[in-house]
Amino acid sequence: MPVQPATARAHPNIALIKYWGNRNQALRLPSNSSLSMNLSALTTITRVEFDANLQVDDIQINDRPAAPQAAQRVIEHLGRIRALAEFGLCARVASANNF
């Protein structure tokens, strides 16, 4: 059964007051409140397509091959997805940012 491509859009989130751990671990109560905002004019759009014709994962950011360290983080995450989905297809990941 073929895997359909997926596209996601996200906006940067700026933390004004950050989460600093829990005051009660059992109840997962935060030590302090957090406050953040999204920047709606700035966007990242990422498309993931698993392809039986690929021999290795292809990671592109803004129409260029991703830097090795960034590509490795994406490939590790794809590995977790493949393990959960129980299939071994390589993926083409294209991400574009306007900031």
Side-chain angles (χ1 to χ4, degrees):
M1 180 168 147
V3 179
Q4 295 298 312
T7 302
R9 175 187 307 261
H11 305 283
N13 180 276
I14 306 298
L16 303 173
I17 300 173
K18 291 187 176 190
Y19 170 81
W20 289 99
N22 292 327
R23 71 172 184 249
N24 182 314
Q25 188 64 32
L27 297 177
R28 306 280 299 154
L29 299 175
S31 296
N32 60 289
S33 299
S34 9
L35 177 65
S36 64
M37 67 178 196
N38 286 344
L39 304 175
S40 62
L42 305 179
T43 305
T44 296
I45 300 173
T46 301
R47 178 180 172 85
V48 179
E49 182 176 6
F50 290 94
D51 185 340
N53 295 316
L54 290 175
Q55 298 299 312
V56 296
D57 293 314
D58 177 24
I59 316 300
Q60 301 279 320
I61 300 176
N62 291 330
D63 296 320
R64 294 182 172 168
Q69 191 174 15
Q72 188 58 41
R73 286 193 309 268
V74 174
I75 291 166
E76 287 172 6
H77 188 67
L78 289 169
R80 290 188 285 273
I81 293 168
R82 285 187 274 259
L84 288 170
E86 298 179 348
F87 71 90
L89 296 177
C90 290
R92 182 175 298 104
V93 179
S95 188
N97 309 290
N98 69 356
F99 58 98

